[in-house]
Amino acid sequence: MNRKLIDKVKSKISELSDHSTLLVRAPGRINLIGEHTDYNKGFVLPAAIDLGIYFAFSLSNDSTCRVIALDEGESLDFTLDELEPLAGFSWKNYVLGVVSRLKSQGYGIEPFNIVFTGDLPQGSGLSSSAALECGVCFGLNELFHLDLSRREMALTAQWSEHHFVGVMCGIMDQYASLFGVEDHAILLDCDSLNHEVSPIKLSDHKFLLINSEVKHSHASSGYNVRREQTEEGVEIIARTYTAVRSMRDMHIEILENCKSSLSDKSYRRCKYIIEENERVHGIVEAMKSDDLGRVGELLKQGQEGMKNGYEITCEEIDFLADFANDYQGVLGARMMGGGFGGCTINLIERSIEDQFVSDIGEAYKKEFDINSTPISVEISDGVHIISESN
Ligand code: GLA
């Protein structure tokens, strides 16, 4: 818990109204495995982390809603009868989308204030957007006693991203931010939305993230295109196999039988999703039997699939993953998140951490003239109220 950040939002919100303050923390997430499988109705294995966004909420003194993003040095003022997305990309649309969705579903919301700040790097594949949407939704739910379930909050947050931001994301990030459990991964079935938690026991190993500091501007369009490509594959295959409604119903035999009717791209995209779903179950099983070597092997396979099958990596990420996968003491590494930049996730022996960070940083700097950033994370609980005694 970052006390400094809590004090910052508390102090700022006290300037905005005389009403009492509600404090909320919403975490980012890592994903052990299962990339792009969520919107294909498959499986994912994320976990909430100890980096996140801190919010202060209060009722407004007048009819204006005011939201202040301390890190951006920006604020947003609006009234509850003007809830339209703003042009261009902005954090403001994540907030407006959540409020708009709640209003249009008939939830009773009155004017409010929000102040937020965080320690979660943005645009790095750690789901700062989901943390923002989920934190706002959770806080408004508390403030106005709306009685939404966490699942309804996840769906509201996802709606905001689809309709106000334009990224056709799956449900993994919102789910992880809302349902996280300390020291556990969440095995989520993205079709039924049922989940179970599974302990992460790493003893003398750890997951270490390396931020490539690369944020590709085409990330959101590339993301939506991948979604269209698998949907196209499903549509073509369903002409022959009528029971196939999504990638969830697809098996490798069906895909192979239909190979000639698919474009090479569509075939590779679909194959990656089928294999990635298998890797999710593979890692769950390997973790249950404490077989970290196998976990590492599956991470390597995931990287290969994202690079050559789904084609969502980039040269900087491939360099970091290849370097790590050749490094003594690294069990496996792969890109994590939506793609085209962001972080790699590395399963490493704790004893090599300092040397590894220094060696990979130096090699990366030499190759691309970019400073990478190591990020150590702990697995934390999902969105929650911060009580004054925390
Ligand atoms: C982004 C999306 C998620 C998921 C991942 C890739 O984080 O928001 O829904 O698709 O990319 O696994």
Side-chain angles (χ1 to χ4, degrees):
M1 196 76 68
N2 195 326
R3 201 68 247 178
K4 241 198 194 148
L5 298 185
I6 300 173
D7 290 343
K8 245 170 110 175
V9 291
K10 254 172 77 177
S11 134
K12 186 69 193 173
I13 203 132
S14 65
E15 296 170 15
L16 302 183
S17 93
D18 347 303
H19 295 280
S20 59
T21 300
L22 168 74
L23 296 171
V24 168
R25 172 182 178 273
R29 61 107 189 89
I30 56 169
N31 185 24
L32 273 52
I33 194 85
E35 298 301 0
H36 289 253
T37 43
D38 56 355
Y39 57 79
N40 281 304
K41 299 200 184 302
F43 295 88
V44 290
L45 193 61
I49 54 173
D50 57 338
L51 302 176
I53 302 183
Y54 292 84
F55 299 86
F57 291 80
S58 67
L59 294 175
S60 170
N61 282 343
D62 51 38
S63 60
T64 304
C65 295
R66 169 162 288 185
V67 185
I68 300 184
L70 290 177
D71 299 334
E72 308 295 326
E74 286 177 5
S75 66
L76 164 70
D77 286 4
F78 60 98
T79 57
L80 290 168
D81 49 17
E82 42 164 3
L83 293 166
E84 292 296 324
L86 304 171
F89 177 81
S90 165
W91 60 268
K92 298 173 184 173
N93 283 331
Y94 294 102
V95 179
L96 288 169
V98 168
V99 181
S100 163
R101 181 64 172 166
L102 292 174
K103 281 287 289 175
S104 68
Q105 288 183 315
Y107 288 105
I109 294 179
E110 303 296 324
F112 58 83
N113 301 308
I114 305 178
V115 177
F116 69 94
T117 183
D119 52 13
L120 186 62
Q122 289 172 30
S124 307
L126 297 177
S127 294
S128 51
S129 349
L132 177 56
E133 302 148 4
C134 293
V136 167
C137 193
F138 183 92
L140 295 179
N141 182 59
E142 281 298 317
L143 200 62
F144 299 110
H145 312 289
L146 306 181
D147 209 18
L148 270 85
S149 66
R150 285 188 184 242
R151 179 182 292 187
E152 286 166 333
M153 291 182 217
L155 292 169
T156 302
Q158 184 194 35
W159 186 95
S160 167
E161 195 143 341
H162 285 190
H163 298 276
F164 271 58
V165 181
V167 176
M168 296 307 291
C169 64
I171 195 75
M172 168 171 73
D173 305 346
Q174 294 77 9
Y175 231 83
S177 187
L178 283 153
F179 286 90
V181 176
E182 193 176 334
D183 294 332
H184 287 72
I186 302 167
L187 171 60
L188 173 66
D189 176 340
C190 301
D191 194 13
S192 67
L193 293 191
N194 291 325
H195 76 278
E196 53 189 72
V197 294
S198 170
I200 301 182
K201 293 174 287 173
L202 299 174
S203 59
D204 48 357
H205 292 79
K206 70 179 284 184
F207 283 115
L208 175 75
L209 309 179
I210 303 286
N211 191 348
S212 68
E213 301 294 346
V214 173
K215 294 172 192 169
H216 277 290
S217 54
H218 60 273
S220 60
S221 59
Y223 185 93
N224 289 348
V225 168
R226 293 305 177 281
R227 186 171 181 145
E228 286 158 20
Q229 287 167 338
T230 46
E231 281 167 0
E232 180 194 299
V234 169
E235 199 189 302
I236 293 171
I237 287 169
R239 289 180 203 151
T240 315
Y241 290 88
T242 49
V244 170
R245 290 157 302 121
S246 72
M247 282 301 302
R248 178 59 172 268
D249 307 315
M250 196 94 81
H251 301 287
I252 199 76
E253 300 76 36
I254 297 182
L255 183 67
E256 293 303 331
N257 289 343
C258 297
K259 191 171 178 181
S260 59
S261 43
L262 295 172
S263 66
D264 171 58
K265 240 185 205 157
S266 215
Y267 167 78
R268 282 186 292 117
R269 304 291 189 254
C270 293
K271 187 161 184 274
Y272 162 79
I273 295 294
I274 294 171
E275 292 172 349
E276 184 77 347
N277 276 318
E278 287 167 3
R279 284 190 280 271
V280 175
H281 296 295
I283 288 204
V284 171
E285 285 315 308
M287 292 216 309
K288 277 188 187 152
S289 48
D290 293 325
D291 187 353
L292 292 182
R294 177 73 186 142
V295 173
E297 217 27 68
L298 291 165
L299 293 179
K300 287 182 190 167
Q301 288 177 19
Q303 166 66 20
E304 206 280 324
M306 287 187 292
K307 180 179 175 194
N308 298 317
Y310 223 58
E311 293 178 294
I312 46 172
T313 62
C314 58
E315 56 173 339
E316 294 88 345
I317 283 286
D318 292 338
F319 180 91
L320 289 174
D322 289 348
F323 185 93
N325 282 327
D326 283 341
Y327 199 92
Q328 188 73 31
V330 175
L331 276 59
R334 64 173 194 87
M335 186 193 74
M336 193 184 72
F340 312 101
C343 292
T344 55
I345 178 166
N346 303 260
L347 179 59
I348 67 166
E349 288 168 11
R350 284 184 193 274
S351 58
I352 65 155
E353 180 171 355
D354 292 348
Q355 194 60 49
F356 171 62
V357 163
S358 145
D359 290 348
I360 198 168
E362 194 183 312
Y364 187 63
K365 172 88 181 164
K366 194 164 159 215
E367 188 75 16
F368 298 104
D369 198 21
I370 305 175
N371 292 313
S372 57
T373 317
I375 306 177
S376 263
V377 289
E378 301 290 333
I379 307 304
S380 83
D381 284 334
V383 183
H384 59 90
I385 295 175
I386 303 167
S387 71
E388 283 305 316
S389 55
N390 278 155

